[in-house]
Structure formats: C-alpha cells, structure tokens
Amino acid sequence: STQGRVEPVDEYIVKNKPVTLTCRSTPATQIYFKCNGEWVHQDDHLIERTVDPATALPVMQVTIDITRQQVEKIFGLDEYWCQCVAWSTTGTQKSQKAYIRIAYLRKNFEEEPQGKEVALDQEVLLRCHPPEGVPQAEVEWQRNEDVIDPASDPNFFITTDHNLVIKKARLADTGNYTCVAKNIVARRKSTSATVLVYVNGGWSTWTTWSSCSAVCGRGWQKRSRSCTNPTPLNGGTSCEGQNIQKSACVATCPVDGGWSEWSKWSACGADCSMWRSRECTQPSPGTGGKDCQGLDLQSLNCTSEQCPQSESEFGWCSEPGSSDVALYVGMVAVALCLTLLLIVVVLVYRRKKEGLDADVADSSILTTGFQPMGIKPSKPENSHLLTIQPDLTTTTTSYQGTLRSRHDTTGKFSMTNGPLLDPLPNGSHTLHNGKLNSDPAEFVSRLSTQSYFKTLPRDVANTSYGTFNFLGGRLTIPNTGISLLIPPEAIPRGKIYEIYLTVQRKEDLRLPLAGCQTLLSPVVSCGPPGVVLSRPVILSMDHCSDACLDNWAVRLKKQNYEGAWEDVLLMGEELVSEPYYCQLEAETCRLFSEQLGTFALVGESLHMGAAKRLRLVLFSDAYCSTLEYNIRVYCMDDTQDVFKEVMQMERQLGGRLIDEPHVLLFKDSYHNLRLSIHDMPLAHWRSKLLAGYQEIPFYHIWNGSQRYLHCTFTLERLSLSTCELTCQLCVWQVEGEGQSFSLDFNIAKVTLSITARSEAAFLLMDSNATALAGPSAFQIPYLIRQKICSSLDAPCPNGADWRMLAQRLKLERHMSFFASKASPTSVILDLWEAQHFHSGNINQLATVMADIGKQEAMIFLVSDGEC
C-alpha cells in the first residue's frame, strides 16, 4: 500500500557528518536496505514497529546511517545509492534509489573577474566561473563588499553563466567587484576586480573675444576655453587643441575734432558789430575723440553808415581804428612775454650744461687708451680685405683726474652723461688692452652705494664693467652666454661712460608671473640707466623656449625706476619706431636697445604644445666611504647662467659630474616630471626610496619658484667592497617625452680632479677679458668698418648693397628694422659681431663681400656715384 509510505531521498555528506536514510511501509513484515546492489547487514538497521491509528494496521520504519568512510572506502568516489525492499503477505515492494554524495567546493575559481577602465556610459562585462563543487555552487556579486541586487538596480544584470553585466557605466559604478560562490560546504570569494569609470575631457564653449590690446591701431585680442565640459576624471584624456586663440585686431583710433576755416565776416549790423563762424568738421570728433576747443562764433565792433548817429553819440560804437589799436597793443604784450620766457630758458639751460660738462672728459684723451696691446695676426685667403688696422701709435695710456663733477651729488642718483660712479681712490683710471684695471669688488661696493643700485646683487663673479667712449666695446660675463656689445658711435663723441653688466638671481628679484606665463631667460641688468646713446647696443642672453613663436606670446619686460615691471615689446610684433628690437635665435636672444636697464624675457604659452628646454644634469658623491651613495639629478632651465651656478655649487660640495647633460622638452601640459631608477643589480645594490619614482610638481618647474630643482636618489650597497654601479635612470613628463641615462662607473676611482675636468669639459671656459674697449672688442677693424658702411649703405640698382649683405648672412627677416636706421650696414655688422664674437670667421665675411660684387680694391674706393 502506498498509504503511509516513506522512501529514502538523496543526501550529501558534509565533511565527516554521516547521513541517515529512512524507509516506512504499511503493512510490512520485513524491510531491509540494499546499497549499490549489496544488502546492508541486519545489525546496521534500526527497526521500529508501530500501529497506524487511522487504519489500525501495523507500520514498520527502518533507518540506517551512511558515513563518509563507507562511501570512500568501499565504493570510492563514484555515485553511492541505497534503496529499501519490503516484504509482506501481499508481496514485495522496492523504493526509489537514494543517492549519497560527498559534498565539496574547491578553492580556486575557474575564471575570475578582471579589472577594467571604461568610459562613461560604456557597457561592462565581468566574467566569473565559480569553483567546481557538489552540489553546484550558487553565485552572487558584491561591489565594495555590498551585495548587488539586480532587482533593485536594473543597471546590473547577472547572466545564467554567472557573469555580471553593467549596462551603462556610471561614475558611481567605480569600485571593487567580487564574485562570491557558495554551497552547503563552503563560501568562496574571487579576487577583487577594480572597475574605473573615467571621463574624457571636453571643451567648454569659447569665451567672447577680449578687447583689443591696442588702444589705437593694430593689436591682439584673444579668447579662451577650458577643459571642463566635462572635466577629465579618473585618468580620462585631456582635451586636444588650443585653449587660447589669438587674433589680430585693429582698434579704431580716437579722432579729435578740428576747426574748419573761419567764414567771411558778415556785413556790419545795426548794432555796430560783424560776425564770423567756423565748424568742428575738419575732422569731426569720433570714437571718443576730443571736441574742438575754443569759440565757434566771433564778433567784432565796426562802423557803418547804417549805424544810427545816436548810437555813436552814446558810445555804443567805438571810434574808427580803436579796435586796431587794442589788437596791436595785445600783440606787443605777447611778444614781450615770449622774449622774457626765452631768456629765462636759455639761462637755465646754460647753467645746467655747465654742470653736465664738468662731468665729461674729452674723448680724444682716451682714443689711444682703448687700443689693443698687439695687432691681430692676419687671416689667410680673403681676410686681408677686412684687417687693415688704423694708425695706432700707443697701446696703453693713462689719464689723470676725476671723471665726476666737482658738485656734490649725494642723495639722488646722478643722471648726467658723464661717469655715474665715484672715481678710483687715487683719482685715475688706467686702461690696458681696453680693460679697466681696478678691483671688481671695489667697483661693486661703489655701485651699491648709489641709491638706484642698492637692489643690484653684490656678486663679483656675475658682474662685469668697464669705461667706454665713442669707439665702443664689449662686456661679457664668462660662461653665462650674457654679453653687451657697445657699437662704435653708440656713445656720443666727447662722452665717457662707466658701464656695468650683471645677472640677477631669481630669488633676489622675482617677476610677477600670472596664468601660463614663465620666465624664459635670466634677469639681466646693464647700466647705468638714463645714459644717452646715439645708436642701439646689443644685449645677448640665453633663453629656454622652443623658439617657435606659434606656440608662445614672448614679451620683453623692463623694470622701471619705481621697481615695477612693464611690457615693452611683443616678439614678432616689433615696431621699428620703438627703442627696442629683438632677434630670437634657437637658444639666444639678441636685444637691440637704445636704453640701458633691467630686462627679462617672459613667455605665455598659447596652447599645451609650448615647451621649455630643461637641462638634466647628474652629480654624485666624489667620495663614498659608507654604504650609502647619493645621485643628484638637477632639472634646470637650459641656460648657461644656471648651469654655471650649479657647477660652482657642486664644486664646493665636492660633487662629481657623472654623465653628459641631456635636454628635455617640458610641455605646458600640467603634468609633473617623474624620475626613477631601474635595472640596478639587486645582488649588490638596493634603493632606499620607498616609492617607485620621485616627482617634481609641474608648477615648480614652469613658474621657476625654485632655482636648483633636483631629486636625490639614495642607494645602498650591501658591501663596502662593491664599487661597480650600473643602472638606468629615467626622467620623463607624465604623458610626455622622456630621457634616460645609462650609468656605468666605478665609485672607488673618484679623485678631486674629476670635478675640475668635468667643469672644463661642459662649461665654455671663456678666457677672454670680461671688458674690452675700442678696436680690441671687434673683429672688424674700425676703418674697414667705415669703408664697408660707406660702400653698402647707398642703394644700388643691381641690389649690391646692404640688402644683399643681410640676405647672405640670413638676416632678411629684419630688413625693415635695418632700413629704419641711418646706416643699415653698421647695424648688420653690429649683429654679426654679437653673433660671432667667439667663433667669428672674418674670412667668411670677406667671401660674402666678394660675392656681393665688391672686389678687393673696390671695398675701400667705391662711392655712391659708382653704384
């Protein structure tokens, strides 16, 4: 009977806990278990006999326990089954088979989810194949330890094969995802997979164009946009393209009104007066211009037959000729006033001129004092065309007396045209080889006593000075790339100036920089300011920009007397009428200036393609007596003055230059500079740096807030006997260019002389005098220079003049600037002298002259009429 019948069901053995199988039958006489075809022993059965209250029939229930050892020992891991067999008077009945399995869940997932970086709104698929187990494991997903419920968040979906799908990635979906598998035995977790939802940057709309930079005439206007629509997040790419656009603009100039001619006088009216008028129409005021000043209507008394006699009797009309008398009296009074004013001006001017001339010595007494000690040896080939020397009878001359006025000049800085500094203690200046022989420290000390110069550095090593007259000369600060060329005739004849040249340190004099601006050159002072120059001098200094004006807006800044900085020139937009003009070469800037002062180049990047040149220099300890060993990596502006200071500082520290300097282009991309060491033999060396790399913030480099930016890598050798060090040092800008140094040297073979040799190898050891005056400062002799200028200044129909000289010297871009000067050839030769002071080939210049068509004899004899 099926009534009250109970059959065994499938069971799982968990760990070592046995399972119990039960059978019940009504009616039944005997019940036994049969497992895998074998009868279970009678003693292993537990038999209970009862009576069913409902039917009063006897009920028999049998149970047995199955252990893990039974399944594994007798039948192994195959499927183990048991069934019941019952006997009664009515017959025999078998139950269904109950399978007993050993439950387990393996530890390792067959496939674990992998981390991903996905864009916003992108579909994400995370795969998971749980470990093998009996019974089969159930799977759930967690994000940051919280269970994901697709029912409550429809953006998630779990497939039948247990994979997780994120339909549209949201910023909130960024996190660590874990696949969890579980059954009756255990619960397993996969390794976490990080999903990073990033946002690529997008440009905002352009701002409106700014107002034109020029109040009147041609200028610039710009507009900008920002990478904030959306802002890059979680490593998303920045916007590509320019964030600033510039456009030329023309500002309408204000027009001041002008009067038209007076109209003719009207006829004499009944009131004994006549009238005339004029209008403010030539031109009419416009664009904010001023209105005409004065009267537009004028009246004059007159007599006429039409005037009533009674009016004349009562004095309403003046007597004939009375107005003319008043006019003549007024004119005489004005003439007397003007004469008196002119006399006062002449007296004041003569008194001031007497004070000025007291400071000026006749330049003729110094003419021979500026000559070189020896004649330069003549060059081969065509060089004799340019080496004819003037008649020099002496090489050294001394002159006695002071160069200052006898008037007391305490208090304010003297603005005379004579020497602006106190004389030497013995009251004399002696010039040898064009160089003023006095103590540089004494000169700097005297310089600092002047009120204007108290802010100048007292660094003798970075200051050069000399005394010059109309023959000109040159000042150089060795190993800095900074020089000042004073062309002949730049100082007016009869004047003598004591001129200085110095480089300022950034920490002593900070420029106000804003936005994307950065300092591209050293801050250089030459002076004294206020001296009168007949022609521009040429100031040469290094810069560290990529020299691509499409990437930059480069401005020349000058410090005024109050200490404020002013923009005096925008590179590429020079006007020949201005007192400043710049030629930007690959690594050097040549500034033509008609005024002395403090100058610097400041660049404003127009987009992220603009780059500064950085010089990467490596130093190490000269001696290593301990286990620690330091490597210092300097990241400095690629200018010679900074390199010189670092070399001098490391020499004092006893440092060792361990590799040739490298150049790295550092872009305006807001990314930091990273430095790291790789491929170091770990059996002998280890790095004490905790992180994998060091990083210099972007703005520390771009703004120049620190002068000697460097990172120090501290290495430790495991034994004092280890002397060989090989490694790879990498320097790169995040998401930009990089440089690598392969280092391989013996730290035990370092001597003091290595630093000196390194400095000599990588610094241009300038052995020339810092101050040269007169002909010794120039490669082209003075008389030859005059003949070349007279030959080429006058325009020739066939073009064989200064224009062809500029083309042959690759200076045609500056034609308009040369043409604005009284002697274009002399300015070209000045620039050639400034460019080729150290490496000038006078032979090459002579060849250029011959190519122009100036034959040997004609160089000195050609005249305007012969062109």
Side-chain angles (χ1 to χ4, degrees), residues 316-491:
W316 294 350
C317 296
S318 58
E319 291 295 328
S322 62
S323 61
D324 293 340
V325 172
L327 178 63
Y328 294 149
V329 170
M331 292 177 63
V332 170
V334 170
L336 289 175
C337 291
L338 290 177
T339 303
L340 181 61
L341 179 62
L342 181 60
I343 292 173
V344 171
V345 169
V346 170
L347 290 176
V348 171
Y349 173 78
R350 293 185 63 181
R351 177 170 297 180
K352 287 188 176 181
K353 180 138 184 34
E354 288 175 0
L356 290 175
D357 290 341
D359 287 345
V360 180
D362 186 4
S363 65
S364 62
I365 66 174
L366 288 182
T367 302
T368 56
F370 285 86
Q371 309 306 326
M373 294 186 67
I375 303 301
K376 295 181 180 179
S378 62
K379 305 287 184 181
E381 301 175 3
N382 296 325
S383 60
H384 63 283
L385 303 184
L386 301 175
T387 56
I388 298 178
Q389 296 285 341
D391 183 14
L392 305 176
T393 57
T394 60
T395 60
T396 303
T397 300
S398 301
Y399 63 94
Q400 303 293 328
T402 178
L403 296 181
R404 285 191 57 87
S405 169
R406 283 174 285 189
H407 302 292
D408 217 346
T409 57
T410 59
K412 289 183 65 177
F413 167 71
S414 175
M415 295 300 294
T416 66
N417 290 337
L420 302 180
L421 301 174
D422 294 327
L424 298 179
N426 59 4
S428 65
H429 295 69
T430 303
L431 296 165
H432 293 282
N433 193 22
K435 183 178 177 182
L436 186 65
N437 293 328
S438 66
D439 184 8
E442 182 182 346
F443 171 80
V444 174
S445 177
R446 290 190 296 118
L447 188 69
S448 62
T449 60
Q450 303 291 337
S451 60
Y452 178 77
F453 305 109
K454 288 183 179 179
T455 60
L456 291 178
R458 303 190 182 188
D459 188 354
V460 176
N462 289 321
T463 301
S464 177
Y465 71 99
T467 304
F468 304 93
N469 68 351
F470 77 97
L471 291 175
R474 183 191 307 267
L475 289 175
T476 304
I477 303 177
N479 302 319
T480 62
I482 300 171
S483 64
L484 179 69
L485 181 76
I486 307 168
E489 307 294 341
I491 297 176

Side-chain angles (χ1 to χ4, degrees), residues 98-156:
Y99 289 90
I100 296 93
R101 299 179 177 89
I102 298 176
Y104 66 91
L105 184 63
R106 302 198 183 280
K107 293 183 178 180
N108 296 327
F109 281 73
E110 295 185 10
E111 183 178 7
E112 292 188 299
Q114 302 295 320
K116 294 184 177 181
E117 294 183 1
V118 297
L120 191 69
D121 294 332
Q122 180 180 339
E123 183 181 270
V124 185
L125 174 62
L126 297 178
R127 297 183 179 276
C128 177
H129 196 170
E132 179 187 353
V134 173
Q136 186 177 1
E138 297 178 356
V139 174
E140 69 179 16
W141 283 87
Q142 295 180 352
R143 180 184 64 190
N144 298 333
E145 305 297 330
D146 295 330
V147 177
I148 295 175
D149 183 9
S152 60
D153 190 347
N155 194 44
F156 294 103

Side-chain angles (χ1 to χ4, degrees), residues 616-629:
L616 310 176
V617 191
L618 274 64
F619 289 91
S620 67
D621 297 332
Y623 295 100
C624 183
S625 58
T626 64
L627 293 178
E628 286 190 355
Y629 190 70

